[in-house]
Amino acid sequence: MSVTIKDVAILANVAPSTVSRVIANNPRISEKTKVRVRQAMADLGYHPNIIARSLANKSTKAIGLVMPSSTDKVFQNPFFPEIIRGISGGAHEKKYSIHMSTGQEEEEIFEAVTHMVGGRLVDGIVLLYSRLDDPVQNYLKNNKFPFIVVGKPHKYEQQITYVDNDNYTASKDATEYLIKNGHQLIAFVGGDPNLVVTADRLLGYQDALKESNLPYHQEYVVHEEFLREGGKEAVNELFSLANPPTALVVTDDVMAFGVLNTLDQMGLVVPDDVSVFSFNNVLLSEISRPPLSSVDINIYRLGYEAAKNLIQKIENPDEPAKRIIIPHELIVRQSIRKK
Amino acid sequence: MSVTIKDVAILANVAPSTVSRVIANNPRISEKTKVRVRQAMADLGYHPNIIARSLANKSTKAIGLVMPSSTDKVFQNPFFPEIIRGISGGAHEKKYSIHMSTGQEEEEIFEAVTHMVGGRLVDGIVLLYSRLDDPVQNYLKNNKFPFIVVGKPHKYEQQITYVDNDNYTASKDATEYLIKNGHQLIAFVGGDPNLVVTADRLLGYQDALKESNLPYHQEYVVHEEFLREGGKEAVNELFSLANPPTALVVTDDVMAFGVLNTLDQMGLVVPDDVSVFSFNNVLLSEISRPPLSSVDINIYRLGYEAAKNLIQKIENPDEPAKRIIIPHELIVRQSIRKK
DNA sequence: TTGTATGCGTTATCAC
DNA sequence: GTGATAACGCATACAA
């Protein structure tokens, strides 16, 4: 059924090894035979068997994608499709293919990773999340298997290659923008406080206030889940304060979208009554009512660089750990009342 | 470095073939040696090399995912993450892994497919789109390679296995719901008219009108792109008619969201002035303002069944082509003014 | 019940 | 320049 290198060899009247060399475009093969062999390949509709090649090469030219557990929830966030798109782009350029991990529960994911790594299905791994004491991360580190994490690692920051934004500065920039536009009562609506992103962005917010000599109030900081209902409770809390904020820094567009809805229900008008600055700049922020000001963290490039640098590490194993910071940009839309 | 079946064999004092049989849990091996071999595997931290196994087996236990071209745009639609989630779930249950195609342009995609198929990287393929005269589909058909398409194939419907909704009935149901609630002037906002989904839904809409003896007006049917700006022009067209519609059937939530925004800008209130029924029931429809009535097409299950049935076909090659119809459900929310 | 030998389709190391 | 030949790690038909 399927045509192999041997069939080609017979038809072209050469040895299998010669065919292999032609495929690799080995310079030691004469043009004549190259032409002849290529013709034979075309005639037979030959395609190299990647599996066999991988076995001989001990390299699969594939990278593994590991999603956070509870992908069900997380996939609702447009962040993931977009970063996968970036990874796909980076991988494609280097002619690597992509293997996705399946599995929802934490244990299943770990299993999927050992399957990919131990089974030598992939040459490296992209971790799409960064958790405290992550067994997957430990496993990869212990096995010295090439991997890169998207986001800042909690531990061993110096020893792990990762791509991230400067979330501290990004948040500081956004907060300062609000301050410059006359806001003094600025609240912070963060996601899971155990996430490094949240912590980084909170710090940026705090420092922005500090540097502008604005007071920092504990009650102005609330944490909610990333998704849909997320904003609701946060907003309720904040606007039942004696001195409700006039502006909000929200760490995720989807959450900000929820905030927008809740404010609307409360009869508060954005941006007249309250201004909102959020993060990620996904499609949603553009088409929301009103369009959201959002920090563009360049998700695509985050993924693209992740793939690129992982592959670099795969092909150059003793390269030291790197840190890649993707620039951000403030995208100002109608959700902010300007001075 | 990496421990193989031979190392285990030596440690356990058996032949490599015995180890192989233990892995496969071959009943002809005595419990004693099984235990001993398993112990050796554990001691050495053995993990089977999937690549080698695939080569010997001529089966990779992996399925390939092929996205439509211009994934950049398409990935903005929450439909894709969700269906991938379903596929992932179905594959996981059968212990299959997932290989993603990279590449954006049509030609790159075709190349990626021949790479996966010819390179024997996967045992079967899920096509996440259905196009007219698709070279990929022809290639797979000609090579008799197992594949399944999500959506209805344009040609050879009888010979190709696919999962789809009953889009005709779904659209008819939605339209009838509007009619039952007193709407007589109902417009249809469709996506790309070359897509079979669009055609099916248009037909359902038309027949619903017909069966209720409502007139069908050509001007009430507009087609727009699936994304963001999508709704705008459509709505402008419709509401500059002499007799503007009081209800809209929109074939995609994201587009409906755009419609909502445009209506808002025009000062039209949903549902008081105009009612909207859309499709897909993605998160967006739930959190929009007002929440959208949407036909839940059960995207997850679409993906789940795609994976399940593809794998069934892989493991049972001469099974005839099947058609799997996923049930839909009308989810009524505030976007409809009821009688 | 277990071991031996061979093949899966390549690549790579020798030779010539 | 090109051709044998031995890996790569596993599965399996055939022996024993």
Side-chain angles (χ1 to χ4, degrees):
Chain A
M1 166 73 226
S2 65
V3 26
T4 79
I5 217 173
K6 286 183 187 172
D7 304 318
V8 176
I10 292 171
L11 182 60
N13 240 306
V14 293
S17 50
T18 302
V19 178
S20 177
R21 290 193 183 100
V22 172
I23 294 169
N25 203 17
N26 189 315
R28 301 190 318 188
I29 301 290
S30 74
E31 271 312 313
K32 280 180 213 161
T33 50
K34 272 189 185 173
V35 170
R36 192 153 40 94
V37 170
R38 291 206 181 101
Q39 184 58 50
M41 298 201 306
D43 289 352
L44 295 174
Y46 169 79
H47 191 102
N49 183 320
I50 307 291
I51 297 291
R53 176 181 290 174
S54 296
L55 185 59
N57 274 340
K58 290 168 164 298
S59 145
T60 60
K61 287 257 187 190
I63 61 181
L65 238 59
V66 181
M67 320 270 195
S69 55
S70 69
T71 313
D72 48 336
K73 289 193 178 170
V74 108
F75 244 17
Q76 307 260 33
N77 196 314
F79 177 84
F80 283 87
E82 182 65 3
I83 198 158
I84 291 178
R85 208 168 66 77
I87 292 171
S88 173
H92 185 76
E93 274 185 21
K94 296 283 191 178
K95 300 206 177 302
Y96 273 65
S97 59
I98 292 180
H99 215 95
M100 269 184 45
S101 71
T102 64
Q104 308 267 338
E105 317 305 327
E106 183 174 329
E107 210 181 321
E108 287 178 340
I109 290 178
F110 186 79
E111 213 176 285
V113 172
T114 58
H115 182 78
M116 289 198 288
V117 174
R120 255 123 312 200
L121 271 176
V122 297
D123 295 341
I125 285 217
V126 182
L127 286 183
L128 288 189
Y129 64 95
S130 172
R131 262 197 34 208
L132 192 65
D133 275 330
D134 182 31
V136 171
Q137 217 173 97
N138 291 336
Y139 170 81
L140 295 173
K141 214 164 108 44
N142 293 339
N143 286 42
K144 300 196 188 313
F145 195 81
F147 72 102
I148 192 165
V149 352
V150 175
K152 195 195 289 179
H154 290 252
K155 271 182 169 179
Y156 311 110
E157 200 187 314
Q158 308 300 328
Q159 305 164 47
I160 293 176
T161 294
Y162 66 94
V163 291
D164 198 8
N165 300 102
D166 182 352
N167 281 303
Y168 167 81
T169 305
S171 179
K172 202 171 159 203
D173 289 350
T175 310
E176 277 168 0
Y177 183 88
L178 291 168
I179 296 174
K180 276 195 198 107
N181 279 282
H183 293 278
Q184 308 235 345
L185 304 173
I186 305 174
F188 178 90
V189 182
D192 185 343
N194 292 316
L195 258 38
V196 187
V197 227
T198 310
D200 282 354
R201 291 180 181 167
L202 178 57
L203 215 59
Y205 155 83
Q206 290 170 329
D207 282 4
L209 295 183
K210 196 182 296 171
E211 290 183 13
S212 294
N213 293 314
L214 291 175
Y216 166 68
H217 295 298
Q218 186 74 35
E219 321 87 71
Y220 270 25
V221 175
V222 291
H223 292 284
E224 298 290 335
E225 295 260 319
F226 263 129
L227 294 178
R228 38 183 141 186
E229 296 304 314
K232 258 183 193 162
E233 293 183 37
V235 173
N236 283 334
E237 280 181 43
L238 287 172
F239 289 88
S240 52
L241 290 175
N243 260 338
T246 69
L248 265 38
V249 173
V250 187
T251 59
D252 181 272
D253 284 335
V254 180
M255 210 158 82
F257 193 80
V259 168
L260 246 38
N261 285 347
T262 312
L263 290 174
D264 186 63
Q265 285 170 19
M266 298 172 72
L268 291 169
V269 177
V270 176
D272 299 351
D273 299 324
V274 38
S275 298
V276 177
F277 214 133
S278 67
F279 285 81
N280 289 11
N281 192 34
V282 296
L283 175 63
L284 191 60
S285 62
E286 194 174 334
I287 64 178
S288 75
R289 219 158 61 225
L292 281 165
S293 301
S294 189
V295 181
D296 189 336
I297 59 170
N298 213 333
I299 303 177
Y300 181 89
R301 189 139 167 243
L302 226 36
Y304 179 87
E305 294 294 337
K308 263 299 182 47
N309 285 280
L310 172 59
I311 292 171
Q312 204 171 106
K313 191 169 183 170
I314 289 169
E315 297 179 345
N316 207 329
D318 26 46
E319 195 178 70
K322 277 195 303 186
R323 188 190 65 188
I324 299 102
I325 298 299
I326 306 299
H328 60 269
E329 187 188 356
L330 303 193
I331 306 292
V332 176
R333 299 200 185 84
Q334 288 94 293
S335 68
I336 295 181
R337 176 181 177 177
K338 301 188 189 173
K339 193 167 58 179
Chain B
M1 169 69 227
S2 64
V3 24
T4 79
I5 215 173
K6 285 184 188 171
D7 304 319
V8 176
I10 293 171
L11 182 60
N13 239 307
V14 293
S17 53
T18 303
V19 178
S20 177
R21 293 192 181 100
V22 173
I23 293 169
N25 202 19
N26 189 315
R28 303 191 314 190
I29 301 290
S30 73
E31 270 314 311
K32 278 180 213 158
T33 49
K34 273 188 185 173
V35 170
R36 191 152 40 95
V37 170
R38 291 206 182 100
Q39 184 58 51
M41 299 201 306
D43 289 352
L44 295 173
Y46 169 79
H47 191 102
N49 182 321
I50 306 292
I51 298 291
R53 175 182 291 176
S54 296
L55 186 60
N57 273 339
K58 290 170 163 295
S59 144
T60 60
K61 286 259 186 189
I63 61 181
L65 238 57
V66 180
M67 319 270 196
S69 55
S70 71
T71 313
D72 48 335
K73 288 192 178 171
V74 106
F75 245 18
Q76 306 260 34
N77 195 315
F79 177 84
F80 284 87
E82 181 65 4
I83 197 157
I84 291 178
R85 207 168 67 78
I87 292 171
S88 173
H92 185 77
E93 273 185 19
K94 295 283 189 176
K95 301 207 178 300
Y96 273 65
S97 59
I98 291 180
H99 215 95
M100 270 184 44
S101 72
T102 62
Q104 308 266 339
E105 318 304 330
E106 183 174 328
E107 209 182 323
E108 287 178 341
I109 291 178
F110 186 79
E111 213 177 287
V113 173
T114 59
H115 182 79
M116 288 198 288
V117 174
R120 254 123 310 203
L121 271 175
V122 298
D123 295 341
I125 286 217
V126 182
L127 286 183
L128 288 189
Y129 65 95
S130 171
R131 260 196 36 207
L132 193 64
D133 276 329
D134 182 31
V136 171
Q137 220 175 93
N138 291 336
Y139 171 81
L140 295 173
K141 216 164 108 41
N142 293 339
N143 286 44
K144 298 195 187 315
F145 196 81
F147 73 102
I148 192 166
V149 353
V150 175
K152 194 195 291 179
H154 290 252
K155 274 181 168 180
Y156 311 109
E157 201 189 314
Q158 307 301 327
Q159 304 165 46
I160 293 176
T161 294
Y162 66 93
V163 290
D164 197 8
N165 301 102
D166 182 351
N167 281 303
Y168 167 81
T169 306
S171 178
K172 203 173 158 201
D173 289 350
T175 309
E176 278 169 359
Y177 183 88
L178 291 168
I179 297 173
K180 276 196 198 106
N181 279 281
H183 294 277
Q184 309 236 347
L185 305 173
I186 306 173
F188 179 89
V189 183
D192 185 344
N194 292 316
L195 258 40
V196 186
V197 227
T198 310
D200 282 354
R201 291 180 183 167
L202 178 56
L203 214 58
Y205 156 82
Q206 290 170 329
D207 281 4
L209 295 184
K210 197 182 297 172
E211 290 184 12
S212 294
N213 293 314
L214 291 174
Y216 166 66
H217 296 297
Q218 186 74 37
E219 321 88 71
Y220 270 25
V221 175
V222 290
H223 291 284
E224 298 289 334
E225 295 262 317
F226 263 131
L227 294 177
R228 37 183 140 187
E229 297 302 316
K232 257 183 194 162
E233 294 183 36
V235 174
N236 283 333
E237 280 181 44
L238 287 172
F239 289 89
S240 52
L241 292 174
N243 259 338
T246 69
L248 266 38
V249 173
V250 187
T251 58
D252 181 273
D253 282 335
V254 180
M255 210 159 80
F257 193 80
V259 168
L260 246 38
N261 284 348
T262 311
L263 290 174
D264 186 63
Q265 284 170 20
M266 297 172 73
L268 292 170
V269 177
V270 175
D272 299 352
D273 299 323
V274 38
S275 297
V276 177
F277 215 132
S278 67
F279 285 80
N280 289 10
N281 192 35
V282 297
L283 175 63
L284 192 60
S285 63
E286 194 174 334
I287 64 179
S288 74
R289 227 161 51 227
L292 281 165
S293 300
S294 189
V295 181
D296 190 335
I297 59 170
N298 214 333
I299 303 178
Y300 180 89
R301 193 141 164 240
L302 227 33
Y304 179 86
E305 294 293 337
K308 262 299 180 47
N309 285 280
L310 172 60
I311 292 171
Q312 204 171 107
K313 190 169 183 169
I314 290 170
E315 297 178 346
N316 208 328
D318 27 45
E319 194 179 70
K322 276 194 304 186
R323 187 189 67 189
I324 299 101
I325 299 299
I326 306 298
H328 59 269
E329 188 188 356
L330 303 192
I331 306 293
V332 177
R333 300 200 184 86
Q334 289 94 295
S335 67
I336 296 181
R337 177 181 177 178
K338 300 187 191 175
K339 192 165 61 176

